[in-house]
Amino acid sequence: MHEALRTLDEMRPLRNPVLIAAFSGLNDHGGAAMATLDHLCEAWGARDLAEIEPEPFFDFTVQRPTVRVDGDQRRIDWPIPRFRVASPEGSSRDFVLLSSAEPHLRWRTFTEIIAEVMEATGATTSITIAAQAAATPHTRPLPVTLSASHDDFEQQFGLEVPESRYEGPTGIVGVLNLSHRSRGWRNASLWAQAPHYLSTGPNPGAITALVEVLDRGFGLQTSLAAVEAQAADFEEEVRQALAESSEAADYIKNLEEQYDENQSRRPAPPDEGGGELPSAEDLLSDLEGFLRDQRDE
């Protein structure tokens, strides 16, 4: 095992395991993917398995640690990539859940450490989850797009794999996906299409969409009660904001019309958009400002 990997529980072969990974940063609009993974850990009763020492992979002037008060002590929380193991009720397989900020350095070494954990647990399938900003209205079910190494993932998740000719910069999600595919492992990437104008916190609609696709793909029934409670508060905040901004309400109505017209068309592949998105700052400053104030309170 790599010296940067610290085990927290016995690293042993699991039952037909699958790695599910989420990374905060540019691959996670509003933090929805990380919130989804946190929800899975809670709902599935995940236990700690291992963590990666952050020092070799993070620039702490960019990804700063946070300080908190614990009783009468002040403590530092470092951005530590963490592996957990879960055995959802009714499932015949185990899941290795990886949550991490996108590292700044040594991506190839970082992906090698992830591969070591997969080999030690017997996992040969990985699923990355992400969220990207898209011209989708929050009033509709949020789409999820699929990229996959094998065609049978389409039937498993009930999604088409759109053709992608994207070339250009990529994030750790793209690097990890291709690393696993080059090893001959099965890999799929699920991207929630989250409203670009809402970025003040995890979008409950995106969390719901990702959990439902994972449940469909693996025959699970993950409780969404906690997310539904968040969604009610979230929708009320947005409703109040729209009531105060006719410009925002008109813009979202336009998005709804486009969404309804495009339902029969093929989804856009991950990492590709249909042109530049309208500027949220220009069109929806009232909406974002209101929501930001609500979150701060």
Side-chain angles (χ1 to χ4, degrees):
M1 287 290 180
H2 194 279
E3 61 184 6
L5 182 68
R6 185 166 74 93
T7 58
L8 304 173
D9 199 354
E10 181 185 2
M11 194 80 70
R12 57 180 175 79
L14 302 173
R15 301 177 304 157
N16 193 20
V18 172
L19 173 78
I20 300 179
F23 299 88
S24 64
L26 296 179
N27 298 132
D28 192 13
H29 181 70
M34 287 288 281
T36 299
L37 200 80
D38 289 342
H39 178 76
L40 295 178
C41 287
E42 180 69 24
W44 293 352
R47 66 183 188 277
D48 289 340
L49 176 65
E51 59 187 25
I52 299 175
E53 166 59 44
E55 190 82 20
F57 305 104
F58 290 90
D59 179 351
F60 295 130
T61 66
V62 177
Q63 180 76 36
R64 292 185 179 272
T66 58
V67 64
R68 60 184 172 87
V69 177
D70 182 10
D72 57 355
Q73 301 289 324
R74 296 180 68 82
R75 301 191 183 279
I76 299 292
D77 289 329
W78 300 93
I80 298 176
R82 183 166 283 109
F83 296 89
R84 298 180 177 89
V85 173
S87 305
E89 184 177 353
S91 176
S92 60
R93 69 194 324 158
D94 298 320
F95 292 85
V96 180
L97 306 171
L98 168 61
S99 60
S100 173
E102 182 174 70
H104 308 116
L105 307 166
R106 302 178 180 87
W107 282 17
R108 284 182 292 185
T109 302
F110 190 82
T111 57
E112 286 294 326
I113 294 175
I114 296 172
E116 287 186 7
V117 173
M118 291 182 66
E119 289 171 346
T121 57
T124 57
T125 298
S126 64
I127 311 293
T128 54
I129 57 175
Q132 65 183 152
T136 53
H138 69 279
T139 53
R140 299 290 190 270
L142 300 188
V144 175
T145 56
L146 170 67
S147 167
S149 62
H150 293 70
D151 292 341
D152 58 356
F153 276 115
E154 290 189 322
Q155 182 176 2
Q156 180 176 348
F157 290 118
L159 299 170
E160 287 187 57
V161 176
E163 181 181 358
S164 175
R165 303 293 296 174
Y166 175 77
E167 296 180 342
T170 189
I172 189 64
V173 168
V175 171
L176 187 66
N177 290 340
L178 292 181
S179 172
H180 290 178
R181 295 177 194 186
S182 70
R183 292 171 176 268
W185 291 347
R186 292 168 50 80
N187 167 263
S189 191
L190 299 169
W191 292 71
Q193 307 298 295
H196 74 96
Y197 54 86
L198 298 176
S199 58
T200 55
N203 189 307
I207 300 171
T208 297
L210 288 169
V211 171
E212 288 180 346
V213 170
L214 289 169
D215 275 359
R216 184 163 64 242
F218 294 105
L220 302 173
Q221 294 182 325
T222 305
S223 172
L224 284 166
V227 180
E228 291 168 354
Q230 297 170 11
D233 294 338
F234 183 82
E235 290 172 2
E236 178 59 22
E237 290 177 3
V238 176
R239 188 195 65 77
Q240 293 181 39
L242 294 178
E244 299 179 13
S245 174
S246 59
E247 184 181 26
D250 291 342
Y251 175 65
I252 292 172
K253 182 179 179 181
N254 183 54
L255 287 183
E256 291 172 339
E257 293 172 352
Q258 294 179 18
Y259 178 100
D260 294 340
E261 290 175 2
N262 292 336
Q263 279 304 286
S264 61
R265 300 180 185 176
R266 290 176 62 87
D271 288 330
E272 290 187 288
E276 290 188 5
L277 294 174
S279 168
E281 291 184 356
D282 293 341
L283 291 172
L284 297 164
S285 58
D286 291 344
L287 178 58
E288 285 198 322
F290 178 87
L291 292 176
R292 189 175 299 109
D293 291 344
Q294 291 291 98
R295 301 283 184 192
D296 291 344
E297 291 175 5

Short mmCIF file of all heavy atoms in Angstrom, two decimals, residues 267-295:
data_model
loop_
_atom_site.label_atom_id
_atom_site.label_comp_id
_atom_site.label_asym_id
_atom_site.label_seq_id
_atom_site.Cartn_x
_atom_site.Cartn_y
_atom_site.Cartn_z
N PRO A 267 -29.91 13.62 -24.86
CA PRO A 267 -29.26 14.48 -23.87
C PRO A 267 -27.86 14.88 -24.32
O PRO A 267 -27.20 14.15 -25.05
CB PRO A 267 -29.19 13.59 -22.62
CG PRO A 267 -29.18 12.19 -23.17
CD PRO A 267 -30.03 12.24 -24.40
N ALA A 268 -27.41 16.05 -23.86
CA ALA A 268 -26.04 16.48 -24.15
C ALA A 268 -25.08 15.66 -23.30
O ALA A 268 -25.37 15.33 -22.15
CB ALA A 268 -25.88 17.96 -23.83
N PRO A 269 -23.93 15.27 -23.85
CA PRO A 269 -22.97 14.49 -23.07
C PRO A 269 -22.31 15.32 -21.99
O PRO A 269 -22.27 16.55 -22.09
CB PRO A 269 -21.94 14.05 -24.13
CG PRO A 269 -22.03 15.11 -25.18
CD PRO A 269 -23.47 15.54 -25.21
N PRO A 270 -21.78 14.70 -20.95
CA PRO A 270 -21.06 15.43 -19.92
C PRO A 270 -19.88 16.18 -20.52
O PRO A 270 -19.28 15.76 -21.50
CB PRO A 270 -20.58 14.32 -18.97
CG PRO A 270 -21.51 13.19 -19.21
CD PRO A 270 -21.88 13.26 -20.65
N ASP A 271 -19.54 17.30 -19.91
CA ASP A 271 -18.42 18.15 -20.32
C ASP A 271 -18.71 18.95 -21.58
O ASP A 271 -17.83 19.64 -22.08
CB ASP A 271 -17.13 17.34 -20.52
CG ASP A 271 -16.54 16.87 -19.21
OD1 ASP A 271 -16.71 17.55 -18.20
OD2 ASP A 271 -15.92 15.80 -19.20
N GLU A 272 -19.89 18.84 -22.15
CA GLU A 272 -20.23 19.61 -23.32
C GLU A 272 -21.53 20.35 -23.05
O GLU A 272 -22.48 19.80 -22.51
CB GLU A 272 -20.40 18.72 -24.54
CG GLU A 272 -19.11 18.11 -25.04
CD GLU A 272 -19.31 17.38 -26.34
OE1 GLU A 272 -19.92 16.32 -26.32
OE2 GLU A 272 -18.86 17.89 -27.36
N GLY A 273 -21.59 21.60 -23.48
CA GLY A 273 -22.79 22.39 -23.32
C GLY A 273 -23.37 22.76 -24.66
O GLY A 273 -22.77 22.54 -25.70
N GLY A 274 -24.53 23.35 -24.65
CA GLY A 274 -25.15 23.77 -25.90
C GLY A 274 -24.91 25.23 -26.16
O GLY A 274 -25.82 25.95 -26.53
N GLY A 275 -23.71 25.70 -25.97
CA GLY A 275 -23.43 27.12 -26.11
C GLY A 275 -23.22 27.74 -24.75
O GLY A 275 -23.40 27.10 -23.72
N GLU A 276 -22.84 28.99 -24.71
CA GLU A 276 -22.58 29.65 -23.44
C GLU A 276 -23.87 29.85 -22.66
O GLU A 276 -24.90 30.21 -23.21
CB GLU A 276 -21.92 31.01 -23.68
CG GLU A 276 -20.48 30.90 -24.21
CD GLU A 276 -19.82 32.26 -24.23
OE1 GLU A 276 -20.46 33.22 -23.77
OE2 GLU A 276 -18.69 32.35 -24.72
N LEU A 277 -23.81 29.59 -21.37
CA LEU A 277 -24.96 29.82 -20.50
C LEU A 277 -25.13 31.30 -20.25
O LEU A 277 -24.15 32.04 -20.18
CB LEU A 277 -24.76 29.09 -19.16
CG LEU A 277 -24.75 27.58 -19.22
CD1 LEU A 277 -24.40 27.03 -17.85
CD2 LEU A 277 -26.09 27.05 -19.68
N PRO A 278 -26.39 31.76 -20.08
CA PRO A 278 -26.58 33.16 -19.71
C PRO A 278 -25.89 33.44 -18.38
O PRO A 278 -25.79 32.57 -17.53
CB PRO A 278 -28.12 33.27 -19.58
CG PRO A 278 -28.66 32.12 -20.36
CD PRO A 278 -27.64 31.03 -20.23
N SER A 279 -25.44 34.65 -18.21
CA SER A 279 -24.76 35.02 -16.98
C SER A 279 -25.75 35.09 -15.84
O SER A 279 -26.70 35.86 -15.87
CB SER A 279 -24.07 36.38 -17.15
OG SER A 279 -23.65 36.88 -15.91
N ALA A 280 -25.52 34.25 -14.83
CA ALA A 280 -26.39 34.27 -13.66
C ALA A 280 -26.28 35.60 -12.94
O ALA A 280 -27.26 36.09 -12.37
CB ALA A 280 -26.01 33.13 -12.71
N GLU A 281 -25.11 36.22 -12.94
CA GLU A 281 -24.94 37.50 -12.25
C GLU A 281 -25.75 38.59 -12.93
O GLU A 281 -26.35 39.44 -12.27
CB GLU A 281 -23.45 37.88 -12.21
CG GLU A 281 -22.62 37.00 -11.32
CD GLU A 281 -21.19 37.47 -11.23
OE1 GLU A 281 -20.83 38.43 -11.94
OE2 GLU A 281 -20.43 36.86 -10.47
N ASP A 282 -25.77 38.57 -14.26
CA ASP A 282 -26.50 39.61 -14.99
C ASP A 282 -28.01 39.41 -14.92
O ASP A 282 -28.77 40.35 -14.72
CB ASP A 282 -26.07 39.62 -16.47
CG ASP A 282 -24.63 40.07 -16.63
OD1 ASP A 282 -24.11 40.70 -15.69
OD2 ASP A 282 -24.04 39.76 -17.68
N LEU A 283 -28.45 38.14 -15.07
CA LEU A 283 -29.88 37.89 -15.18
C LEU A 283 -30.57 37.65 -13.84
O LEU A 283 -31.74 37.94 -13.68
CB LEU A 283 -30.12 36.66 -16.07
CG LEU A 283 -29.80 36.85 -17.55
CD1 LEU A 283 -29.89 35.51 -18.27
CD2 LEU A 283 -30.75 37.84 -18.19
N LEU A 284 -29.84 37.12 -12.87
CA LEU A 284 -30.50 36.64 -11.66
C LEU A 284 -29.79 37.08 -10.39
O LEU A 284 -29.73 36.35 -9.42
CB LEU A 284 -30.58 35.11 -11.69
CG LEU A 284 -31.42 34.55 -12.85
CD1 LEU A 284 -31.12 33.10 -13.04
CD2 LEU A 284 -32.88 34.76 -12.59
N SER A 285 -29.26 38.29 -10.37
CA SER A 285 -28.55 38.75 -9.19
C SER A 285 -29.49 38.84 -7.99
O SER A 285 -29.11 38.56 -6.86
CB SER A 285 -27.89 40.11 -9.47
OG SER A 285 -28.87 41.06 -9.86
N ASP A 286 -30.74 39.23 -8.24
CA ASP A 286 -31.71 39.31 -7.14
C ASP A 286 -31.94 37.94 -6.52
O ASP A 286 -31.98 37.79 -5.30
CB ASP A 286 -33.05 39.88 -7.64
CG ASP A 286 -32.93 41.34 -8.03
OD1 ASP A 286 -31.94 41.97 -7.63
OD2 ASP A 286 -33.82 41.82 -8.75
N LEU A 287 -32.09 36.92 -7.36
CA LEU A 287 -32.37 35.58 -6.88
C LEU A 287 -31.19 35.02 -6.09
O LEU A 287 -31.35 34.55 -4.97
CB LEU A 287 -32.69 34.67 -8.06
CG LEU A 287 -32.96 33.19 -7.75
CD1 LEU A 287 -34.11 33.05 -6.79
CD2 LEU A 287 -33.21 32.42 -9.03
N GLU A 288 -30.00 35.10 -6.65
CA GLU A 288 -28.83 34.55 -5.97
C GLU A 288 -28.55 35.31 -4.68
O GLU A 288 -28.19 34.73 -3.67
CB GLU A 288 -27.61 34.58 -6.88
CG GLU A 288 -27.65 33.52 -7.96
CD GLU A 288 -26.28 33.27 -8.56
OE1 GLU A 288 -25.54 34.24 -8.74
OE2 GLU A 288 -25.97 32.11 -8.83
N GLY A 289 -28.69 36.64 -4.73
CA GLY A 289 -28.43 37.43 -3.53
C GLY A 289 -29.39 37.10 -2.41
O GLY A 289 -28.99 36.98 -1.25
N PHE A 290 -30.66 36.91 -2.76
CA PHE A 290 -31.66 36.57 -1.75
C PHE A 290 -31.34 35.21 -1.13
O PHE A 290 -31.35 35.04 0.10
CB PHE A 290 -33.04 36.54 -2.39
CG PHE A 290 -34.15 36.14 -1.44
CD1 PHE A 290 -34.77 37.09 -0.65
CD2 PHE A 290 -34.55 34.81 -1.33
CE1 PHE A 290 -35.78 36.71 0.24
CE2 PHE A 290 -35.55 34.44 -0.45
CZ PHE A 290 -36.16 35.38 0.33
N LEU A 291 -31.05 34.23 -1.96
CA LEU A 291 -30.76 32.90 -1.44
C LEU A 291 -29.48 32.89 -0.59
O LEU A 291 -29.41 32.21 0.41
CB LEU A 291 -30.63 31.90 -2.59
CG LEU A 291 -31.93 31.60 -3.35
CD1 LEU A 291 -31.65 30.67 -4.52
CD2 LEU A 291 -32.98 31.01 -2.44
N ARG A 292 -28.50 33.67 -1.01
CA ARG A 292 -27.26 33.73 -0.24
C ARG A 292 -27.53 34.30 1.16
O ARG A 292 -27.02 33.81 2.16
CB ARG A 292 -26.22 34.57 -0.98
CG ARG A 292 -24.83 34.51 -0.36
CD ARG A 292 -23.83 35.27 -1.20
NE ARG A 292 -23.72 34.70 -2.54
CZ ARG A 292 -24.18 35.28 -3.65
NH1 ARG A 292 -24.76 36.46 -3.58
NH2 ARG A 292 -24.02 34.70 -4.82
N ASP A 293 -28.36 35.33 1.22
CA ASP A 293 -28.71 35.92 2.52
C ASP A 293 -29.44 34.92 3.38
O ASP A 293 -29.21 34.82 4.58
CB ASP A 293 -29.57 37.17 2.31
CG ASP A 293 -28.78 38.32 1.70
OD1 ASP A 293 -27.53 38.25 1.70
OD2 ASP A 293 -29.40 39.25 1.17
N GLN A 294 -30.35 34.13 2.75
CA GLN A 294 -31.11 33.15 3.50
C GLN A 294 -30.19 32.07 4.07
O GLN A 294 -30.33 31.67 5.23
CB GLN A 294 -32.15 32.49 2.59
CG GLN A 294 -33.28 33.43 2.15
CD GLN A 294 -34.18 33.80 3.31
OE1 GLN A 294 -34.02 34.87 3.89
NE2 GLN A 294 -35.08 32.93 3.67
N ARG A 295 -29.22 31.61 3.27
CA ARG A 295 -28.29 30.59 3.74
C ARG A 295 -27.44 31.12 4.89
O ARG A 295 -27.18 30.43 5.88
CB ARG A 295 -27.35 30.16 2.59
CG ARG A 295 -28.06 29.60 1.38
CD ARG A 295 -28.51 28.18 1.60
NE ARG A 295 -29.12 27.64 0.39
CZ ARG A 295 -29.80 26.52 0.31
NH1 ARG A 295 -29.97 25.82 1.40
NH2 ARG A 295 -30.32 26.11 -0.81
#
